[in-house]
Amino acid sequence: MMARRLLILLVLLTGVLMVSQAQDTEPARPDREIYTVLAYGDGVFEPDVWLASAREQDVRTIAEWRADSIGGLAYLDYMHFDAGINADQLEATFGEAWFQASFSNYQNWRELTNCQLGNVRLHEFSLSLNNIKYTMRYWIEAVSETRVLTLFIIFPTDTPEPMDEYAQKLFPDAAVCAG
């Protein structure tokens, strides 16, 4: 009886060692930026309220969260500058022409304010689409020498509470321009 228990224990230990060895020899899954961008929404966008989607391209990785029940949209563009980007280039890239192109689908838009909050530039906009007025907060952050994050969140202007709540979750130190 004792020999049988020892044999069963030996077989179980051998199985555990074989599984452990197999896991150690499996190639590691490469980090993909699609996971990086989607992680920005972790703990921010509740899965029962917001639908997430993402896609990878050669020059950017994009994530989008939609909350039709509360009229919200968040859009993250993780842009690749493989040759690098410095502060002057960053400022030149994300100027008036950038916003003209970005907001071309809106009937009209105007910038309400912008401010530098640490390493994050925040722009606040008023926009309209299909005769509905929206408010947008648009953050720009150089997250590395070769990656720039732009993220905006937009809600109907007549419901400002969700904007403040989600902006605080996304950028606790850069949720709103002061005064």
Side-chain angles (χ1 to χ4, degrees):
M1 186 67 133
M2 183 69 150
R4 185 174 186 194
R5 285 184 184 169
L6 285 174
L7 181 61
I8 290 172
L9 183 60
L10 181 62
V11 169
L12 287 174
L13 285 174
T14 303
V16 168
L17 287 173
M18 288 173 52
V19 167
S20 175
Q21 236 177 7
Q23 289 175 343
D24 290 343
T25 60
E26 288 180 11
R29 188 183 85 204
D31 289 332
R32 305 241 336 244
E33 284 189 346
I34 199 164
Y35 302 119
T36 300
V37 299
L38 285 170
Y40 278 92
D42 292 349
V44 175
F45 302 115
E46 306 87 352
D48 59 330
V49 177
W50 296 82
L51 296 176
S53 63
R55 64 186 181 277
E56 294 173 305
Q57 300 172 353
D58 290 339
V59 296
R60 64 181 17 106
T61 306
I62 297 167
E64 180 181 285
W65 296 268
R66 298 186 68 85
D68 293 338
S69 64
I70 57 175
L73 171 69
Y75 185 89
L76 188 154
D77 192 349
Y78 200 72
M79 291 180 274
H80 308 170
F81 294 90
D82 293 331
I85 187 165
N86 63 41
D88 292 336
Q89 293 169 315
L90 192 65
E91 193 171 314
T93 300
F94 298 101
E96 181 75 17
W98 173 264
F99 292 114
Q100 286 284 351
S102 296
F103 302 151
S104 63
N105 291 330
Y106 290 91
Q107 291 163 331
N108 60 58
W109 64 272
R110 67 183 172 93
E111 185 170 33
L112 302 172
T113 189
N114 74 74
C115 57
Q116 187 72 37
L117 301 163
N119 64 335
V120 177
R121 167 66 65 182
L122 171 59
H123 297 263
E124 295 184 41
F125 295 97
S126 173
L127 310 99
S128 66
L129 180 65
N130 298 325
N131 297 315
I132 299 172
K133 292 184 179 185
Y134 293 94
T135 302
M136 174 188 284
R137 293 195 190 151
Y138 195 112
W139 294 270
I140 302 168
E141 178 181 15
V143 294
S144 75
E145 292 177 5
T146 62
R147 297 296 185 261
V148 174
L149 172 142
T150 67
L151 189 152
F152 72 74
I153 189 163
I154 186 169
F155 283 98
T157 301
D158 62 358
T159 56
E161 296 84 9
M163 173 68 76
D164 293 334
E165 175 188 342
Y166 288 103
Q168 184 65 39
K169 288 181 181 181
L170 286 164
F171 291 92
D173 297 326
V176 64
C177 289

